[in-house]
Amino acid sequence: MPPATPESRPHVNLAVLIDADNAAPAIVEGLFEEIARYGVASVKRIYGDWTQPNLGGWKKVLLDHSIQPMQQFAYTHGKNATDSALIIDAMDLLYTGRFDGFCLVSSDSDFTRLASRLREEGLTVYGFGERKTPKPFVSACDKFIYTELLRADAHPADETSADATEAPAKPTRGTKKDKGEPTAKAEPVKEDTKRDAKASPVPIRLITKVIDDVSDDDGWASLASVGQNLTKLRPDFDPRLYGFSKLSALMKAQPRIESRQSNKHIEVRVRQR
């Protein structure tokens, strides 16, 4: 099941399960704004040992966002009983058959198998975690959003992801022939680029490969299809990582890609060299 979008599935029921030990309270505002793009947070639970002082920051925001705290005592030092409680609840919620997807908020790889199991049942899994989240957990989700993008006090574009970036492609000798084609840059794109000047390099080779894979005989591909396939290949792909608020703005800023409006939909293709 591909990740739901506001246009395709506006009434998706989601269960939001937060690992308080591996998530910061500063992400709450952005977290639920992001979740609202994919569906309705019907269940909102957060797990941790609330007798411990390190979770004090969470206590201040639980009431404001109607998040239900789930108490789990740490029986033994060094053992994370919170993870087990979250996993058990996730399976209980799964078997109710009331949910279309789950939002797992944690940077802990221990939830990798849980994400895989939920997807085996045909549910969509959205992962939320820091850039340090292990790759197996990221790949186990349908869509993974880095929580640094959700914080108002952080600038994730300043960080570099070694396994998710590539250097921008250099112009080829055939590029000059494209001067008469549609303009690659628009005013909104300039604003995005200026706002996140230190953004990670765009993975242009991955993008052009996906366009080639889903394009028609003339090389044109629906932007929506390109976006869906990018997420399938790389669940953590997000235009915001590269300094753009939307995928369309990212595409228009790439010299190797041209775009056009077709029947109220945007199409893109790789420029002929």
Side-chain angles (χ1 to χ4, degrees):
M1 177 188 296
T5 63
E7 295 79 7
S8 62
R9 302 186 65 191
H11 301 294
V12 176
N13 287 322
L14 300 174
V16 181
L17 307 180
I18 305 172
D19 176 10
D21 295 325
N22 285 283
I27 70 169
V28 171
E29 291 285 351
L31 173 66
F32 286 104
E33 288 178 4
E34 185 75 17
I35 291 174
R37 299 173 57 189
Y38 306 111
V40 178
S42 302
V43 168
K44 294 183 284 186
R45 299 180 183 177
I46 184 168
Y47 298 79
D49 185 353
W50 301 103
T51 64
Q52 300 300 314
N54 62 303
L55 298 184
W58 273 110
K59 296 178 183 179
K60 300 176 182 178
V61 299
L62 298 185
L63 290 176
D64 292 340
H65 296 274
S66 299
I67 306 173
Q68 181 180 2
M70 309 298 289
Q71 171 64 28
Q72 181 59 54
F73 291 102
Y75 300 118
T76 305
H77 181 71
K79 299 293 184 180
N80 198 338
T82 298
D83 293 0
S84 299
L86 190 154
I87 292 171
I88 291 171
D89 275 10
M91 298 308 295
D92 287 343
L93 293 171
L94 166 65
Y95 291 131
T96 65
R98 296 187 290 113
F99 299 95
D100 301 291
F102 281 75
C103 298
L104 304 179
V105 186
S106 179
S107 303
D108 194 338
S109 62
D110 289 347
F111 298 110
T112 301
R113 179 57 187 142
L114 173 61
S116 299
R117 182 67 182 87
L118 295 172
R119 292 181 67 187
E120 288 173 3
E121 291 296 321
L123 302 187
T124 303
V125 177
Y126 300 96
F128 296 83
E130 298 177 358
R131 294 290 288 271
K132 66 180 182 181
T133 304
K135 193 67 175 178
F137 181 34
V138 173
S139 300
C141 300
D142 290 286
K143 174 72 176 176
F144 196 91
I145 299 94
Y146 291 118
T147 53
E148 287 90 343
L149 295 172
L150 309 179
R151 297 174 59 123
D153 59 344
H155 301 281
D158 293 344
E159 301 177 11
T160 302
S161 176
D163 60 352
T165 59
E166 298 176 20
K170 295 181 180 179
T172 59
R173 285 180 291 179
T175 313
K176 295 182 179 180
K177 297 180 181 180
D178 295 328
K179 290 183 178 180
E181 296 183 13
T183 304
K185 295 184 178 180
E187 193 64 29
V189 176
K190 291 181 180 179
E191 294 175 358
D192 278 337
T193 305
K194 183 177 180 181
R195 182 170 62 250
D196 292 319
K198 296 181 181 180
S200 300
V202 175
I204 189 65
R205 280 182 287 179
L206 172 66
I207 293 174
T208 55
K209 180 182 185 304
V210 170
I211 293 175
D212 287 337
D213 290 343
V214 301
S215 62
D216 58 21
D217 293 339
D218 294 324
W220 290 102
S222 164
L223 182 64
S225 298
V226 172
Q228 291 174 1
N229 279 269
L230 282 170
T231 301
K232 290 177 181 177
L233 291 174
R234 188 174 291 176
D236 60 347
F237 180 87
D238 194 316
R240 292 171 294 184
L241 292 174
Y242 312 108
F244 300 92
S245 60
K246 295 182 179 180
L247 181 59
S248 58
L250 184 152
M251 293 294 187
K252 291 178 181 178
Q254 307 311 309
R256 290 189 57 189
I257 299 173
E258 60 178 315
S259 60
R260 70 179 183 184
Q261 196 79 19
S262 178
N263 297 326
K264 296 183 179 180
H265 298 288
I266 299 177
E267 294 182 333
V268 294
R269 75 173 177 181
V270 181
R271 291 186 184 277
Q272 299 297 320
R273 297 187 178 184

